[in-house]
Amino acid sequence: MMKKVLAAVLVTMMAATLLCACSPQKNARLARLKIGVTIYDESDTFLSEMVACFKEDAEMLADENTSVSVTVRGAEDSQRMQNDGVESFIDEGCNVLCVNLVDRTAPSAIIDMAKEHNIPVIFFNRELVAEDLMQWDRLYYVGARAKQSGKMQGELAADAIKKDSRIDRNNDGKIQYVLLSGEPGHQDAIIRTETVVSTLEEQGIRLERLSFQVANWNRAQAQNRMNQMIQQYRSDIELVLSNNDDMALGAIDAYDKSNVTETDRPCVFGIDGTAVGLEAVKEGKLAGTVYNDKEGQALSMARLALAAFSGKGMAQLDLEDGKYIYLPYYKVTAENVSQFPMTDGNADISLQTG
Ligand code: BGC
Ligand code: CA
């Protein structure tokens, strides 16, 4: 009897030892990808949607060998705060950084920290100059070509003007327009503004610029600017070209609050295809927009994060110059708007500040 008990105890002990020996090994095989994402401003509509998609995509890349976690910080439009946030990410053990720079001309502090700790950095949406990206071989960029979006917006506007003679309301053969610009210095603001105007001209549209206003990508600021322009130009404005959907919607808000009748309102064009932007195209409030492929950018960034971490699968990503991934834009009008995802990717990204 005693022998039996002893044997049973022994077997249990051996099993326990085996179990113990087993579990740490299993843990050791589990690679932990910890991604720190920082965006310039937590209230930016396009970026909130894009990062929500990214979180989902990155977490889906986890498998039995790799666990994935994503932490997002907003930088409240301060480069200093963003640099501190990146330092915290590194202290917390992040092994890939995704950085949407506040100041795209000031990436050095972040690059230096990343290099020192050998942590790859994927910059996105706010494009740094090529020389900065060349500083180290573990730096990448994911985004879209600003020029293409400006050209597409110009083509959409030119098509509308050619199709509908009522847009030239005063019949003077010229289109009186105002332009709402994103942040000065942002590649998308500079290049979209340049290209939309040159494209319209190339398409044979005669233009007269009434005003150029900076509204920093922001809906409320655009509403303010548009209000002032409505006071000044009343029904003279025939076309509003906006560097993004949020500002285009701000312009529409201003008209909705004004006493300008429907027939005296301009045609408005945006860029992004955010959930609210697409909705406005569907309702006919926005004449058109250009889809900034947040799903494509998010998925490419997630795949790149995993490849940069694991060292596997980089070749399949087809990087330009070993560094860049650019996703194409798409034209959106009332005719094809239903083909675009009208969700905001559950834009709740449970942000931390820093
Ligand atoms: C988007 C804007 C956004 C900006 C932020 C642009 O590509 O079109 O909506 O505010 O990026 O950097
Ligand atoms: Ca006119």
Side-chain angles (χ1 to χ4, degrees), residues 51-52 55 59 70-74 346-353:
V51 169
K55 264 195 102 172
E59 280 156 11
V70 179
T71 313
V72 185
R73 283 198 161 89
N346 296 322
D348 172 19
I349 43 179
S350 37
L351 275 161
Q352 297 180 13
T353 27

Side-chain angles (χ1 to χ4, degrees), residues 31-71:
R32 294 176 197 280
L33 167 57
K34 284 187 78 173
I35 309 174
V37 181
T38 164
I39 58 178
Y40 86 105
D41 179 349
E42 40 280 43
S43 62
D44 186 281
T45 309
F46 172 75
L47 284 167
S48 311
E49 294 187 1
M50 191 242 162
V51 169
C53 286
F54 173 75
K55 264 195 102 172
E56 257 183 54
D57 292 340
E59 280 156 11
M60 256 161 37
L61 291 177
D63 59 23
E64 68 272 18
N65 301 318
T66 316
S67 75
V68 181
S69 67
V70 179
T71 313

Side-chain angles (χ1 to χ4, degrees), residues 73 82-92 97 113:
R73 283 198 161 89
Q82 184 165 60
N83 296 350
D84 292 348
V86 165
E87 200 176 336
S88 307
F89 278 148
I90 295 174
D91 291 345
E92 290 155 16
L97 298 168
M113 282 188 275

